[in-house]
Amino acid sequence: MNSIKTILMRELRSYFNSPMAYIFLVVFAVVNGYFFTNTFFLFDQSNMRALFNIIPLVYLFFIPAVTMSLIAREKNIGTMEVMATLPINDIDFVIGKFLSALSLIIIGLGITLIHFFTLMNVGTNIDYGAVFTGYLGLIMLGAVYAAVGTFASSITDNQVISFIIGVFVVLVFFLMDKMLLFVPGSLSGLIQYLSVDFHLSNISRGVIDSRNIIYFASLVGFFLFMTVRVLEIRKWR
């Protein structure tokens, strides 16, 4: 746990010691705020549905941008060799990196709470349960995309390539249930189940189903496991 905490704090400091974290948080807040306020005042909705619909789209590009340097940068500047000599397990290293990206994502979501407070002041008949589950779903979706980005960053030392791979993989998961018309009927159920949007929409409706939580946790575990395997294979070369 100490190793994970050390890596987590080190990575968070590197985020905030550079313009990256501030750029991410400002742009994330502005983009989400723009679309939310437009929809909120245009349709006079007393819910957060507009925000919960736009954030997954913003995630598609912002999370790969946040995670692209997690491990690729270490490889590029040669600090991975130094890390290999320290008493740090690969799994602790990967989890620390992953949690740093997830922490930044949660901070970004925290900023969007300003829209919730606005809704409390001007809205009526607010479904607080749906707001809670909506944010819970966004955190779990952010965790999946952060795990994907961490994996993408581990297979190359080029941050741009890492970003491209990360965007491609998260787009595949996001678009799966949008492509059901083009797949055989026998596979449609499986493709729909593998789609992140299918599970996110279930949670956003206010229903916390263990199957949806298991789905997100399984994806996070799978991509973090694959990241650890990539690092282990690299050591044996």
Side-chain angles (χ1 to χ4, degrees):
M1 288 297 295
N2 288 335
S3 299
I4 294 175
K5 182 179 178 181
T6 299
I7 295 169
L8 167 62
M9 298 308 298
R10 170 180 174 269
E11 199 64 29
L12 281 177
R13 281 194 296 270
S14 71
Y15 276 138
F16 287 97
N17 285 338
S18 68
M20 182 176 180
Y22 303 100
I23 293 173
F24 168 79
L25 294 174
V26 169
V27 176
F28 186 80
V30 169
V31 171
N32 291 319
Y34 172 79
F35 286 102
F36 171 74
T37 52
N38 274 0
T39 307
F40 180 80
F41 291 108
L42 181 63
F43 297 105
D44 196 26
Q45 295 178 341
S46 288
N47 56 58
M48 301 282 285
R49 190 172 303 157
L51 185 68
F52 295 156
N53 287 338
I54 189 61
I55 288 180
L57 296 175
V58 177
Y59 272 177
L60 295 176
F61 300 96
F62 277 84
I63 294 182
V66 168
T67 58
M68 66 181 184
S69 63
L70 286 178
I71 300 176
R73 182 187 60 208
E74 305 278 8
K75 291 182 178 181
N76 186 262
I77 63 178
T79 53
M80 281 299 295
E81 285 71 18
V82 177
M83 290 287 184
T85 65
L86 299 176
I88 300 176
N89 296 328
D90 288 335
I91 189 169
D92 291 345
F93 176 76
V94 170
I95 291 176
K97 291 283 189 176
F98 162 75
L99 289 178
S100 67
L102 181 59
S103 298
L104 189 61
I105 294 166
I106 292 174
I107 292 171
L109 287 176
I111 294 174
T112 67
L113 285 173
I114 188 172
H115 305 305
F116 174 61
F117 296 134
T118 301
L119 181 65
M120 290 176 60
N121 290 325
V122 302
T124 57
N125 300 321
I126 302 169
D127 188 344
Y128 293 99
V131 172
F132 171 77
T133 57
Y135 272 108
L136 177 63
L138 290 176
I139 290 173
M140 289 191 288
L141 179 63
V144 170
Y145 287 174
V148 170
T150 304
F151 170 70
S153 186
S154 71
I155 59 181
T156 178
D157 59 0
N158 188 305
Q159 296 182 38
V160 176
I161 295 177
S162 170
F163 172 77
I164 294 172
I165 294 173
V167 170
F168 174 77
V169 176
V170 298
L171 272 174
V172 168
F173 279 100
F174 178 78
L175 293 174
M176 276 184 178
D177 68 336
K178 315 293 190 301
M179 308 295 290
L180 292 178
L181 293 175
F182 305 99
V183 299
S186 58
L187 294 177
S188 60
L190 175 62
I191 298 299
Q192 184 180 50
Y193 181 80
L194 291 176
S195 167
V196 294
D197 199 44
F198 171 72
H199 295 275
L200 179 64
S201 62
N202 288 339
I203 295 176
S204 298
R205 286 196 295 266
V207 179
I208 300 179
D209 192 321
S210 60
R211 290 173 294 183
N212 298 318
I213 296 175
I214 291 172
Y215 166 82
F216 286 114
S218 298
L219 279 184
V220 171
F222 171 76
F223 281 105
L224 293 184
F225 171 77
M226 292 300 296
T227 304
V228 173
R229 293 299 298 161
V230 169
L231 296 182
E232 289 176 347
I233 290 171
R234 185 176 180 274
K235 285 183 178 180
W236 286 101
R237 288 181 176 177

